[in-house]
Amino acid sequence: HLFTDLPKFVREGDLLVFNDTRVIKARLLGAKATGGRVEALIERVVAPRRALAMLRASHMPSPGQIIRFADAASAVMVERQGDFFLLEFDDEVLSVLDRLGEMPLPPYIERPAGLQDLTRYQTVYARHPGAVAAPTAGLHFDQAMLDRLQASGVGLAYVTLHVGAGTFQPVRVDEVDSHVMHSEHYSVPEATTRALAHARERGGRITAIGTTSLRALESAAQSGELKSGSGETRLFIRPGYGFKLVDRLLTNFHLPRSTLLMLVSAFAGIEPIRHAYQHAVNHGYRFFSYGDAMLIERAGANLRAAA
């Protein structure tokens, strides 16, 4: 099926939940005083002038070293925190990114980010800046599709989860339970909690648009019921996880050894996902951020693919 067929697979009373995070221009190119080049990918803003970042350099800066960005801003490397470096800027981080940053396109897109990426690598409903990667299942939607879904009696609701680069990191440990997820900030508005309760009362199904929407909902429902509010999540969903809220998931095709592939395997079952991926490979589906999508149902229901 084509993605434009999606309204055929929903029914009146269903609720679709979207992640309305907005991608920030999180990539900065700079240099140390020694002249060594540094590429910084801002993972998250932790204070007006402080941010955690992934750095790429021939020699990583030491605490106290200054990184200059385009001779228009600078940051001091404060300390290393695991995979990340804490940077303190001479101006507000979001202001620096707005002036000097580039859109953080996925590494397999081997071209510089351009003006078109400011809109192309952004969902049409993006509202709250803070993500360093787009919630890519949402890139399939345009306003016309959202209008069609609402016209058919489907409810639309929103959560916010600021996607971090850590979401896409491969699992590098032999024991899956030893893998530590990077913390991500999420928020579930009261309106979404009410919309979900209303859908349940009407017998509607809850569909998460993307793995990040699913993780936000499940993180906010760890007590057994959905609670509105904000928080930090390190929720690692893998086979054996007991889902509390979400009935269906629309998601793209993910990288091997990724936590995202483990999540969809937990949701639909390992064998159905293996069959789905084999079908995708056999029929030339596109993978990753700008690729094709699949609509899957919880507990091993038949997979339906949307190209």
Side-chain angles (χ1 to χ4, degrees), residues 112-296:
L115 288 176
Q116 75 275 14
D117 296 304
L118 295 176
T119 53
R120 284 179 55 82
Y121 196 56
Q122 205 79 266
T123 63
V124 296
Y125 46 81
R127 295 189 185 94
H128 303 293
V132 302
T136 53
L139 296 177
H140 297 280
F141 290 84
D142 57 15
Q143 190 58 50
M145 174 59 77
L146 297 176
D147 293 342
R148 285 178 63 196
L149 291 165
Q150 285 191 291
S152 65
V154 174
L156 310 181
Y158 299 90
V159 295
T160 304
L161 186 141
H162 292 319
V163 189
T167 293
F168 305 98
Q169 293 296 308
V171 176
R172 298 187 177 94
V173 294
D174 293 330
E175 294 292 333
V176 171
D177 288 344
S178 300
H179 177 76
V180 178
M181 296 286 285
H182 292 149
S183 179
E184 293 171 312
H185 182 79
Y186 74 91
S187 178
V188 178
E190 180 65 33
T192 296
T193 305
R194 291 196 303 268
L196 192 139
H198 182 61
R200 284 282 189 240
E201 290 171 3
R202 299 175 64 191
R205 298 166 297 181
I206 310 303
T207 301
I209 305 303
T211 57
T212 59
S213 298
L214 184 148
R215 287 185 66 243
L217 289 171
E218 292 290 326
S219 296
Q222 288 300 290
S223 66
E225 61 178 275
L226 183 65
K227 294 184 177 180
S228 56
S230 302
E232 300 290 320
T233 182
R234 293 180 180 269
L235 183 62
F236 180 14
I237 298 176
R238 63 270 207 195
Y241 177 83
F243 290 89
K244 299 169 180 62
L245 287 178
V246 178
D247 303 307
R248 310 169 92 206
L249 171 65
L250 181 80
T251 185
N252 285 18
F253 290 85
H254 304 293
L255 286 164
R257 295 185 62 84
S258 67
T259 61
L260 303 179
L261 185 56
M262 294 179 189
L263 184 154
V264 297
S265 297
F267 193 82
I270 294 173
E271 285 307 313
I273 289 298
R274 281 179 178 162
H275 290 308
Y277 274 63
Q278 190 61 58
H279 172 88
V281 170
N282 292 345
H283 291 82
Y285 283 28
R286 294 167 299 168
F287 279 43
F288 317 142
S289 297
Y290 287 121
D292 296 311
M294 57 179 167
L295 177 63
I296 57 179

Side-chain angles (χ1 to χ4, degrees), residues 27-41 54-62 65-70 85 102 112:
R27 179 167 282 114
L28 289 167
L29 300 178
K32 296 179 289 185
T34 57
R37 298 178 65 182
V38 179
E39 179 180 328
L41 178 64
M54 289 183 171
L55 298 183
R56 181 182 296 175
S58 56
H59 297 285
M60 291 299 177
S62 304
Q65 277 196 295
I66 296 174
I67 305 169
R68 294 284 302 170
F69 300 104
F85 295 80
E102 297 179 359

